[in-house]
Amino acid sequence: MKKFTFPHPMVIMLGFVLLAMLLTYLIPAGKYDRQLDDATGREVVVQGSFRYIPNQPVGIAQTFLSVPVGIIAGAEVVVLILIIGGAFYVVDKTGAFQAGLEYLVFHFANGKAFLMALVGLLFAVAGALNGLQEEIIAMVPVLMILTQKVGFTKISGVAISLGCAIIGGAFGPSNPFSVLLAQQLAEVPVFSGGLFRLSGMGVALLVWIGYVLKTGKDPAFVPIQGQMKRPSMEIRHIINLLLVGMTFIIMIYGLSNWDWDYNEMSAIFFVMGLLVGIIGKLGLNGTSKAYAEGFSEMIFAGIIVGLARSIYLVLQDGLVIDTIIYGLFTPLEGLPLGVAAIGMFLAQAILHIPVPSTSGQAVLTMPLLSPLADLIGMGRQVVVLAYQYGAGIMDLVTPSNGGLMAILAAAGISYKEWITYAWKPILAIALIAAGSVLLGIVLF
Protein backbone atom coordinates (compact mmCIF):
# COMPACT_ATOMS: atom_id res chain seq x y z
CA MET A 1 0.00 0.00 0.00
CA LYS A 2 1.40 3.37 -1.02
CA LYS A 3 2.20 5.66 1.89
CA PHE A 4 0.18 8.88 2.07
CA THR A 5 2.20 11.94 1.06
CA PHE A 6 1.09 15.33 2.37
CA PRO A 7 0.04 17.59 -0.53
CA HIS A 8 2.49 20.01 -2.12
CA PRO A 9 1.83 23.71 -1.29
CA MET A 10 0.49 24.32 -4.81
CA VAL A 11 -1.95 21.42 -4.43
CA ILE A 12 -3.18 22.90 -1.14
CA MET A 13 -3.67 26.34 -2.68
CA LEU A 14 -5.47 24.95 -5.74
CA GLY A 15 -7.64 22.88 -3.40
CA PHE A 16 -8.70 26.07 -1.62
CA VAL A 17 -9.44 27.73 -4.97
CA LEU A 18 -11.75 24.83 -5.90
CA LEU A 19 -13.34 24.91 -2.42
CA ALA A 20 -14.05 28.61 -2.95
CA MET A 21 -15.77 27.71 -6.23
CA LEU A 22 -17.92 25.12 -4.43
CA LEU A 23 -18.92 27.67 -1.78
CA THR A 24 -20.31 29.98 -4.47
CA TYR A 25 -22.87 27.22 -5.19
CA LEU A 26 -23.67 26.51 -1.53
CA ILE A 27 -23.78 30.02 -0.01
CA PRO A 28 -26.52 32.48 -1.12
CA ALA A 29 -25.23 35.58 -2.85
CA GLY A 30 -25.57 38.85 -0.96
CA LYS A 31 -24.36 42.41 -1.03
CA TYR A 32 -23.76 45.46 1.17
CA ASP A 33 -23.86 48.98 -0.23
CA ARG A 34 -20.54 50.80 -0.09
CA GLN A 35 -19.47 54.40 0.29
CA LEU A 36 -16.18 56.30 0.32
CA ASP A 37 -14.64 56.89 3.75
CA ASP A 38 -13.02 60.34 3.72
CA ALA A 39 -10.63 59.58 6.60
CA THR A 40 -8.97 56.59 4.92
CA GLY A 41 -9.82 57.13 1.25
CA ARG A 42 -11.23 53.59 1.04
CA GLU A 43 -14.63 52.24 0.13
CA VAL A 44 -16.38 50.83 3.19
CA VAL A 45 -19.60 48.90 3.68
CA VAL A 46 -22.77 50.64 4.84
CA GLN A 47 -24.30 49.36 8.09
CA GLY A 48 -27.76 47.82 7.65
CA SER A 49 -27.61 47.73 3.84
CA PHE A 50 -27.21 43.97 3.36
CA ARG A 51 -29.58 42.25 0.95
CA TYR A 52 -29.71 38.90 -0.79
CA ILE A 53 -29.34 38.94 -4.56
CA PRO A 54 -29.62 36.29 -7.31
CA ASN A 55 -26.89 33.67 -7.10
CA GLN A 56 -23.90 34.00 -9.41
CA PRO A 57 -21.96 30.74 -8.91
CA VAL A 58 -18.50 30.62 -10.42
CA GLY A 59 -17.96 27.93 -13.06
CA ILE A 60 -14.90 25.76 -13.51
CA ALA A 61 -13.59 27.82 -16.45
CA GLN A 62 -13.86 31.10 -14.50
CA THR A 63 -12.27 29.42 -11.49
CA PHE A 64 -9.15 28.43 -13.39
CA LEU A 65 -9.11 31.85 -15.05
CA SER A 66 -8.90 33.30 -11.52
CA VAL A 67 -5.45 31.71 -11.11
CA PRO A 68 -3.60 33.98 -13.58
CA VAL A 69 -5.93 36.87 -12.69
CA GLY A 70 -5.08 36.40 -8.99
CA ILE A 71 -1.36 36.33 -9.73
CA ILE A 72 -1.71 39.51 -11.80
CA ALA A 73 -3.80 41.12 -9.04
CA GLY A 74 -0.97 40.39 -6.62
CA ALA A 75 1.69 41.52 -9.11
CA GLU A 76 3.12 44.22 -6.83
CA VAL A 77 3.68 41.67 -4.04
CA VAL A 78 5.09 39.09 -6.47
CA VAL A 79 7.53 41.66 -7.90
CA LEU A 80 8.56 42.67 -4.38
CA ILE A 81 9.30 39.03 -3.53
CA LEU A 82 11.35 38.57 -6.72
CA ILE A 83 13.37 41.75 -6.24
CA ILE A 84 14.02 41.19 -2.53
CA GLY A 85 14.99 37.60 -3.34
CA GLY A 86 17.39 38.81 -6.01
CA ALA A 87 18.86 41.48 -3.74
CA PHE A 88 19.44 39.02 -0.91
CA TYR A 89 21.03 36.56 -3.32
CA VAL A 90 23.45 39.32 -4.34
CA VAL A 91 24.31 39.98 -0.68
CA ASP A 92 24.88 36.26 -0.16
CA LYS A 93 27.16 36.04 -3.22
CA THR A 94 29.39 38.80 -1.82
CA GLY A 95 30.04 36.65 1.26
CA ALA A 96 28.61 39.31 3.59
CA PHE A 97 25.93 37.06 5.08
CA GLN A 98 28.38 34.21 5.67
CA ALA A 99 30.83 36.55 7.37
CA GLY A 100 28.07 38.07 9.49
CA LEU A 101 26.73 34.67 10.53
CA GLU A 102 30.19 33.43 11.52
CA TYR A 103 30.67 36.61 13.56
CA LEU A 104 27.35 36.11 15.37
CA VAL A 105 27.93 32.41 16.04
CA PHE A 106 31.40 33.12 17.44
CA HIS A 107 30.27 35.92 19.75
CA PHE A 108 27.17 34.02 20.91
CA ALA A 109 28.92 30.66 21.25
CA ASN A 110 27.77 30.44 24.87
CA GLY A 111 24.50 32.28 24.36
CA LYS A 112 22.82 30.62 21.38
CA ALA A 113 19.38 30.74 23.02
CA PHE A 114 19.86 34.45 23.70
CA LEU A 115 20.76 35.00 20.03
CA MET A 116 17.59 33.20 18.91
CA ALA A 117 15.49 35.26 21.32
CA LEU A 118 17.13 38.46 20.03
CA VAL A 119 16.31 37.47 16.43
CA GLY A 120 12.71 36.85 17.49
CA LEU A 121 12.42 40.27 19.12
CA LEU A 122 13.82 42.00 16.02
CA PHE A 123 11.25 40.29 13.80
CA ALA A 124 8.48 41.09 16.28
CA VAL A 125 9.39 44.79 16.19
CA ALA A 126 9.40 44.73 12.38
CA GLY A 127 6.00 43.01 12.41
CA ALA A 128 4.59 45.58 14.82
CA LEU A 129 5.92 48.48 12.74
CA ASN A 130 4.91 47.40 9.24
CA GLY A 131 3.36 43.93 9.27
CA LEU A 132 6.51 42.20 7.97
CA GLN A 133 5.63 38.86 6.30
CA GLU A 134 6.28 38.42 2.58
CA GLU A 135 9.66 40.14 2.96
CA ILE A 136 10.81 37.20 5.11
CA ILE A 137 10.60 34.81 2.12
CA ALA A 138 13.93 36.04 0.75
CA MET A 139 15.58 35.75 4.17
CA VAL A 140 14.72 32.06 4.58
CA PRO A 141 18.05 30.65 3.27
CA VAL A 142 20.03 32.87 5.67
CA LEU A 143 17.71 32.01 8.58
CA MET A 144 18.11 28.29 7.87
CA ILE A 145 21.90 28.61 7.96
CA LEU A 146 21.80 30.64 11.17
CA THR A 147 19.55 28.19 13.02
CA GLN A 148 21.64 25.26 11.81
CA LYS A 149 24.85 26.85 13.06
CA VAL A 150 23.44 27.52 16.54
CA GLY A 151 21.94 24.05 16.88
CA PHE A 152 18.25 24.70 16.18
CA THR A 153 15.93 23.08 13.62
CA LYS A 154 14.66 24.58 10.37
CA ILE A 155 11.13 24.80 11.69
CA SER A 156 12.32 26.77 14.71
CA GLY A 157 13.93 29.20 12.27
CA VAL A 158 10.54 29.80 10.66
CA ALA A 159 8.87 30.07 14.06
CA ILE A 160 11.37 32.59 15.46
CA SER A 161 11.15 34.79 12.34
CA LEU A 162 7.70 34.56 10.76
CA GLY A 163 6.00 33.55 14.02
CA CYS A 164 7.37 36.52 15.96
CA ALA A 165 6.68 38.92 13.07
CA ILE A 166 3.03 37.80 12.91
CA ILE A 167 2.63 38.09 16.68
CA GLY A 168 4.16 41.58 16.55
CA GLY A 169 1.72 42.56 13.81
CA ALA A 170 -1.27 40.95 15.54
CA PHE A 171 -0.68 42.33 19.05
CA GLY A 172 1.35 45.49 18.45
CA PRO A 173 0.00 49.06 18.55
CA SER A 174 1.44 50.44 15.31
CA ASN A 175 0.88 48.14 12.30
CA PRO A 176 -0.46 50.57 9.67
CA PHE A 177 -2.12 47.78 7.66
CA SER A 178 -4.22 46.46 10.54
CA VAL A 179 -4.61 48.20 13.90
CA LEU A 180 -4.05 51.80 12.74
CA LEU A 181 -6.38 51.36 9.76
CA ALA A 182 -9.00 49.65 11.95
CA GLN A 183 -8.81 52.46 14.53
CA GLN A 184 -9.36 55.05 11.81
CA LEU A 185 -12.36 53.17 10.43
CA ALA A 186 -13.80 52.62 13.93
CA GLU A 187 -13.24 56.33 14.71
CA VAL A 188 -11.01 55.47 17.65
CA PRO A 189 -7.97 57.71 18.29
CA VAL A 190 -4.97 56.31 16.39
CA PHE A 191 -2.34 54.72 18.69
CA SER A 192 -4.80 54.73 21.60
CA GLY A 193 -4.54 51.72 23.88
CA GLY A 194 -0.89 51.41 22.93
CA LEU A 195 0.40 50.42 26.37
CA PHE A 196 -2.33 47.78 26.70
CA ARG A 197 -1.38 46.29 23.32
CA LEU A 198 2.34 46.34 24.12
CA SER A 199 1.67 44.44 27.35
CA GLY A 200 -0.30 41.78 25.50
CA MET A 201 2.40 41.59 22.85
CA GLY A 202 5.06 41.07 25.52
CA VAL A 203 3.15 38.19 27.14
CA ALA A 204 2.45 36.55 23.78
CA LEU A 205 6.10 36.82 22.68
CA LEU A 206 7.30 35.43 26.01
CA VAL A 207 5.14 32.33 25.48
CA TRP A 208 6.04 31.94 21.81
CA ILE A 209 9.81 32.48 22.09
CA GLY A 210 9.95 30.33 25.22
CA TYR A 211 8.28 27.48 23.32
CA VAL A 212 10.72 27.79 20.40
CA LEU A 213 13.75 27.79 22.69
CA LYS A 214 12.45 24.76 24.58
CA THR A 215 11.42 22.62 21.62
CA GLY A 216 13.49 23.91 18.70
CA LYS A 217 16.91 22.44 19.46
CA ASP A 218 18.24 20.04 16.83
CA PRO A 219 19.05 16.66 18.46
CA ALA A 220 21.43 15.87 15.59
CA PHE A 221 23.52 19.02 16.16
CA VAL A 222 27.15 18.35 17.03
CA PRO A 223 28.90 21.38 18.57
CA ILE A 224 32.40 22.21 17.41
CA GLN A 225 34.95 20.88 19.85
CA GLY A 226 37.74 23.09 21.10
CA GLN A 227 38.12 26.84 20.77
CA MET A 228 36.63 28.42 17.66
CA LYS A 229 38.81 30.53 15.45
CA ARG A 230 37.88 34.20 15.72
CA PRO A 231 36.27 35.21 12.41
CA SER A 232 37.36 38.34 10.61
CA MET A 233 35.05 40.64 8.67
CA GLU A 234 36.28 42.68 5.75
CA ILE A 235 35.29 46.33 5.49
CA ARG A 236 33.18 45.60 2.38
CA HIS A 237 31.20 42.98 4.32
CA ILE A 238 30.54 45.41 7.16
CA ILE A 239 29.44 48.16 4.73
CA ASN A 240 27.12 45.77 2.89
CA LEU A 241 25.49 44.49 6.07
CA LEU A 242 24.98 48.09 7.22
CA LEU A 243 23.36 48.82 3.83
CA VAL A 244 20.94 45.93 4.35
CA GLY A 245 20.04 47.22 7.81
CA MET A 246 19.62 50.79 6.58
CA THR A 247 17.37 49.60 3.75
CA PHE A 248 14.98 48.01 6.23
CA ILE A 249 15.00 51.14 8.41
CA ILE A 250 14.25 53.38 5.42
CA MET A 251 11.53 50.96 4.27
CA ILE A 252 9.79 51.03 7.66
CA TYR A 253 10.05 54.82 7.84
CA GLY A 254 8.72 55.16 4.30
CA LEU A 255 5.74 52.95 5.02
CA SER A 256 4.93 54.84 8.21
CA ASN A 257 5.57 58.42 7.06
CA TRP A 258 5.75 58.66 3.25
CA ASP A 259 2.75 56.50 2.25
CA TRP A 260 5.03 53.98 0.56
CA ASP A 261 3.61 50.87 -1.05
CA TYR A 262 5.06 47.71 -2.59
CA ASN A 263 6.60 49.48 -5.60
CA GLU A 264 8.63 51.86 -3.44
CA MET A 265 9.86 48.91 -1.36
CA SER A 266 10.83 47.03 -4.52
CA ALA A 267 12.76 50.05 -5.80
CA ILE A 268 14.78 50.57 -2.63
CA PHE A 269 15.73 46.88 -2.41
CA PHE A 270 16.68 46.86 -6.09
CA VAL A 271 19.05 49.79 -5.52
CA MET A 272 20.42 48.08 -2.40
CA GLY A 273 21.24 44.96 -4.41
CA LEU A 274 23.10 46.97 -7.06
CA LEU A 275 25.14 48.88 -4.46
CA VAL A 276 25.96 45.73 -2.49
CA GLY A 277 27.09 43.93 -5.64
CA ILE A 278 29.41 46.75 -6.67
CA ILE A 279 30.83 47.24 -3.15
CA GLY A 280 31.17 43.45 -2.82
CA LYS A 281 33.35 43.36 -5.98
CA LEU A 282 30.91 41.32 -8.06
CA GLY A 283 30.91 43.90 -10.83
CA LEU A 284 27.88 44.79 -12.95
CA ASN A 285 27.83 41.46 -14.80
CA GLY A 286 28.32 39.44 -11.60
CA THR A 287 25.61 41.43 -9.81
CA SER A 288 23.20 40.94 -12.72
CA LYS A 289 23.90 37.20 -12.81
CA ALA A 290 23.31 36.93 -9.05
CA TYR A 291 20.04 38.86 -9.42
CA ALA A 292 18.87 36.46 -12.14
CA GLU A 293 19.68 33.44 -9.95
CA GLY A 294 17.84 35.04 -7.04
CA PHE A 295 14.78 35.68 -9.21
CA SER A 296 14.65 32.01 -10.20
CA GLU A 297 14.80 30.94 -6.54
CA MET A 298 11.81 33.14 -5.66
CA ILE A 299 9.46 32.47 -8.58
CA PHE A 300 7.56 29.65 -6.88
CA ALA A 301 7.14 31.67 -3.67
CA GLY A 302 5.70 34.53 -5.70
CA ILE A 303 3.25 32.20 -7.47
CA ILE A 304 2.03 30.83 -4.12
CA VAL A 305 1.32 34.37 -2.90
CA GLY A 306 -0.54 35.10 -6.13
CA LEU A 307 -2.63 31.94 -5.78
CA ALA A 308 -3.82 33.15 -2.37
CA ARG A 309 -5.39 36.13 -4.16
CA SER A 310 -7.27 33.72 -6.46
CA ILE A 311 -9.19 32.25 -3.51
CA TYR A 312 -10.58 35.64 -2.59
CA LEU A 313 -11.31 36.52 -6.22
CA VAL A 314 -13.48 33.42 -6.72
CA LEU A 315 -15.52 34.22 -3.59
CA GLN A 316 -15.78 37.84 -4.66
CA ASP A 317 -16.93 36.94 -8.18
CA GLY A 318 -19.54 34.61 -6.66
CA LEU A 319 -20.80 37.51 -4.47
CA VAL A 320 -20.66 35.45 -1.26
CA ILE A 321 -18.08 37.42 0.75
CA ASP A 322 -20.70 39.85 2.08
CA THR A 323 -23.03 36.93 2.92
CA ILE A 324 -20.27 35.29 4.95
CA ILE A 325 -19.72 38.54 6.87
CA TYR A 326 -23.46 38.95 7.47
CA GLY A 327 -23.79 35.37 8.70
CA LEU A 328 -20.80 35.63 11.04
CA PHE A 329 -21.59 38.93 12.76
CA THR A 330 -25.37 39.40 12.77
CA PRO A 331 -26.01 36.72 15.48
CA LEU A 332 -23.81 38.68 17.92
CA GLU A 333 -26.37 41.47 18.44
CA GLY A 334 -28.39 39.83 21.23
CA LEU A 335 -25.52 38.27 23.18
CA PRO A 336 -24.02 39.41 26.54
CA LEU A 337 -20.97 41.67 26.17
CA GLY A 338 -18.33 39.07 27.02
CA VAL A 339 -19.86 36.43 24.76
CA ALA A 340 -20.30 38.96 21.94
CA ALA A 341 -16.67 40.08 22.24
CA ILE A 342 -15.36 36.51 22.06
CA GLY A 343 -17.80 35.89 19.22
CA MET A 344 -16.30 38.84 17.32
CA PHE A 345 -12.79 37.50 17.95
CA LEU A 346 -13.71 34.02 16.64
CA ALA A 347 -15.71 35.40 13.70
CA GLN A 348 -12.77 37.60 12.65
CA ALA A 349 -10.51 34.54 12.82
CA ILE A 350 -12.87 32.49 10.61
CA LEU A 351 -13.34 35.37 8.17
CA HIS A 352 -9.58 35.63 7.69
CA ILE A 353 -9.58 32.30 5.82
CA PRO A 354 -11.54 33.60 2.80
CA VAL A 355 -10.24 37.18 3.31
CA PRO A 356 -6.48 36.79 3.94
CA SER A 357 -5.81 40.53 3.62
CA THR A 358 -5.77 42.21 7.05
CA SER A 359 -6.39 45.67 5.57
CA GLY A 360 -9.20 44.32 3.38
CA GLN A 361 -10.78 42.65 6.40
CA ALA A 362 -10.65 45.89 8.38
CA VAL A 363 -12.42 47.74 5.56
CA LEU A 364 -15.11 45.05 5.40
CA THR A 365 -15.83 44.66 9.11
CA MET A 366 -15.06 47.83 11.07
CA PRO A 367 -17.92 49.92 9.59
CA LEU A 368 -20.34 47.09 10.48
CA LEU A 369 -19.09 46.23 13.95
CA SER A 370 -18.55 49.77 15.25
CA PRO A 371 -22.28 50.68 15.25
CA LEU A 372 -23.05 47.20 16.62
CA ALA A 373 -20.69 47.89 19.53
CA ASP A 374 -22.49 51.16 20.26
CA LEU A 375 -25.83 49.36 20.19
CA ILE A 376 -24.84 46.73 22.79
CA GLY A 377 -22.75 49.06 24.96
CA MET A 378 -19.29 47.79 23.97
CA GLY A 379 -16.29 50.09 23.53
CA ARG A 380 -15.13 50.41 19.93
CA GLN A 381 -11.57 49.75 21.06
CA VAL A 382 -12.70 46.22 21.95
CA VAL A 383 -13.98 45.76 18.40
CA VAL A 384 -10.54 46.74 17.09
CA LEU A 385 -8.86 44.33 19.52
CA ALA A 386 -11.12 41.45 18.44
CA TYR A 387 -10.32 42.20 14.79
CA GLN A 388 -6.54 42.56 15.08
CA TYR A 389 -6.11 39.50 17.30
CA GLY A 390 -8.50 37.29 15.35
CA ALA A 391 -7.21 38.17 11.88
CA GLY A 392 -3.56 38.44 12.95
CA ILE A 393 -3.26 35.11 14.74
CA MET A 394 -4.91 33.28 11.84
CA ASP A 395 -1.96 34.27 9.66
CA LEU A 396 -0.06 31.58 11.59
CA VAL A 397 -2.58 28.93 10.54
CA THR A 398 -4.58 29.54 7.40
CA PRO A 399 -3.28 28.06 4.12
CA SER A 400 -4.86 31.01 2.32
CA ASN A 401 -2.01 33.14 3.73
CA GLY A 402 0.32 33.08 0.74
CA GLY A 403 3.23 34.44 2.79
CA LEU A 404 3.06 31.55 5.26
CA MET A 405 2.84 28.92 2.52
CA ALA A 406 5.67 30.49 0.49
CA ILE A 407 7.98 30.67 3.52
CA LEU A 408 7.27 27.05 4.42
CA ALA A 409 7.97 26.02 0.82
CA ALA A 410 11.22 27.99 0.75
CA ALA A 411 12.30 26.34 4.03
CA GLY A 412 11.40 22.84 2.81
CA ILE A 413 8.77 22.38 5.55
CA SER A 414 5.33 20.92 4.86
CA TYR A 415 2.17 22.57 6.13
CA LYS A 416 1.46 19.42 8.17
CA GLU A 417 4.88 19.67 9.89
CA TRP A 418 4.23 23.33 10.70
CA ILE A 419 0.80 22.73 12.24
CA THR A 420 2.06 19.68 14.18
CA TYR A 421 4.87 21.80 15.63
CA ALA A 422 3.04 25.06 16.24
CA TRP A 423 -0.55 24.24 17.25
CA LYS A 424 0.15 24.27 21.00
CA PRO A 425 1.74 27.74 21.18
CA ILE A 426 -0.81 29.06 18.67
CA LEU A 427 -3.60 27.86 20.97
CA ALA A 428 -1.85 29.51 23.94
CA ILE A 429 -1.51 32.78 21.99
CA ALA A 430 -5.21 32.61 21.06
CA LEU A 431 -6.16 32.20 24.74
CA ILE A 432 -4.00 35.21 25.65
CA ALA A 433 -5.76 37.20 22.92
CA ALA A 434 -9.22 36.12 24.12
CA GLY A 435 -8.30 37.14 27.67
CA SER A 436 -7.08 40.51 26.40
CA VAL A 437 -10.38 41.08 24.57
CA LEU A 438 -12.34 40.35 27.76
CA LEU A 439 -10.04 42.62 29.79
CA GLY A 440 -10.58 45.29 27.15
CA ILE A 441 -14.30 45.31 27.95
CA VAL A 442 -13.44 46.44 31.50
CA LEU A 443 -10.73 48.97 30.52
CA PHE A 444 -12.27 50.51 27.41
Side-chain angles (χ1 to χ4, degrees):
M1 184 176 177
K2 189 175 179 181
K3 186 179 178 181
F4 172 76
T5 303
F6 198 78
H8 188 273
M10 182 170 283
V11 175
I12 295 175
M13 300 305 287
L14 288 174
F16 266 79
V17 173
L18 293 174
L19 175 61
M21 179 194 74
L22 180 62
L23 290 177
T24 65
Y25 287 87
L26 299 177
I27 299 175
K31 190 175 183 181
Y32 282 102
D33 292 332
R34 283 163 169 76
Q35 64 184 20
L36 185 67
D37 180 74
D38 294 331
T40 62
R42 296 171 182 259
E43 275 200 342
V44 298
V45 296
V46 178
Q47 169 74 10
S49 65
F50 180 81
R51 62 194 182 279
Y52 289 104
I53 57 177
N55 276 15
Q56 296 189 27
V58 177
I60 190 71
Q62 189 179 352
T63 297
F64 280 108
L65 182 62
S66 75
V67 173
V69 171
I71 294 171
I72 293 168
E76 290 183 343
V77 181
V78 174
V79 169
L80 174 66
I81 290 168
L82 292 177
I83 288 181
I84 290 182
F88 270 69
Y89 205 86
V90 172
V91 179
D92 188 49
K93 283 292 185 181
T94 66
F97 278 145
Q98 183 66 27
L101 289 174
E102 290 176 357
Y103 181 86
L104 283 174
V105 172
F106 177 82
H107 284 85
F108 287 92
N110 298 317
K112 295 182 176 68
F114 177 78
L115 175 59
M116 287 288 285
L118 182 61
V119 169
L121 288 174
L122 289 173
F123 275 97
V125 170
L129 290 175
N130 79 319
L132 186 79
Q133 272 197 50
E134 285 89 354
E135 297 87 347
I136 299 173
I137 297 169
M139 306 180 204
V140 169
V142 180
L143 289 165
M144 296 302 100
I145 295 172
L146 173 62
T147 52
Q148 180 186 11
K149 284 183 175 293
V150 297
F152 282 77
T153 59
K154 292 191 301 181
I155 203 164
S156 68
V158 173
I160 206 69
S161 55
L162 176 67
C164 287
I166 288 176
I167 290 171
F171 282 81
S174 55
N175 184 349
F177 306 111
S178 61
V179 59
L180 297 187
L181 175 60
Q183 286 181 326
Q184 281 184 301
L185 292 168
E187 298 179 353
V188 171
V190 174
F191 294 109
S192 60
L195 185 59
F196 179 85
R197 287 178 169 83
L198 281 174
S199 300
M201 177 178 159
V203 174
L205 284 173
L206 189 64
V207 170
W208 185 267
I209 293 174
Y211 180 83
V212 174
L213 297 182
K214 182 179 179 181
T215 63
K217 292 182 180 178
D218 186 356
F221 175 70
V222 179
I224 299 173
Q225 300 297 321
Q227 191 170 0
M228 293 175 61
K229 182 180 177 182
R230 186 182 185 89
S232 59
M233 290 185 68
E234 298 180 27
I235 294 296
R236 61 191 175 97
H237 292 154
I238 296 173
I239 293 173
N240 280 340
L241 291 174
L242 288 174
L243 269 174
V244 173
M246 283 299 299
T247 302
F248 275 100
I249 291 171
I250 294 171
M251 178 192 74
I252 292 170
Y253 189 85
L255 288 167
S256 304
N257 298 277
W258 298 333
D259 295 324
W260 275 18
D261 211 330
Y262 293 111
N263 288 339
E264 288 82 1
M265 288 190 282
S266 296
I268 191 173
F269 275 101
F270 185 71
V271 172
M272 181 205 80
L274 292 176
L275 292 174
V276 165
I278 293 169
I279 295 169
K281 299 181 180 180
L282 294 181
L284 289 177
N285 281 339
T287 301
S288 300
K289 184 180 178 182
Y291 251 122
E293 292 173 357
F295 292 157
S296 65
E297 292 286 331
M298 289 291 110
I299 287 174
F300 178 67
I303 294 298
I304 289 294
V305 172
L307 277 171
R309 297 289 182 103
S310 304
I311 300 167
Y312 178 77
L313 284 177
V314 171
L315 295 172
Q316 186 180 51
D317 290 343
L319 299 175
V320 298
I321 290 287
D322 288 2
T323 308
I324 293 171
I325 295 169
Y326 180 77
L328 284 172
F329 295 110
T330 302
L332 302 177
E333 291 184 18
L335 297 176
L337 278 186
V339 179
I342 296 300
M344 285 183 186
F345 167 65
L346 294 175
Q348 291 283 13
I350 295 169
L351 181 61
H352 200 61
I353 299 173
V355 186
S357 165
T358 50
S359 57
Q361 189 165 335
V363 169
L364 287 170
T365 60
M366 287 301 102
L368 298 175
L369 294 180
S370 299
L372 173 61
D374 296 340
L375 182 67
I376 63 177
M378 179 188 296
R380 291 191 174 195
Q381 192 76 260
V382 179
V383 174
V384 177
L385 289 172
Y387 149 73
Q388 71 172 114
Y389 294 157
I393 293 171
M394 280 301 289
D395 273 338
L396 290 165
V397 179
T398 175
S400 60
N401 178 7
L404 168 65
M405 300 303 290
I407 289 168
L408 292 178
I413 297 166
S414 72
Y415 179 72
K416 177 185 177 183
E417 289 173 317
W418 170 251
I419 293 299
T420 301
Y421 173 81
W423 74 267
K424 289 181 181 177
I426 290 173
L427 181 59
I429 297 302
L431 291 174
I432 292 168
S436 297
V437 170
L438 292 175
L439 184 59
I441 294 175
V442 178
L443 298 179
F444 302 114

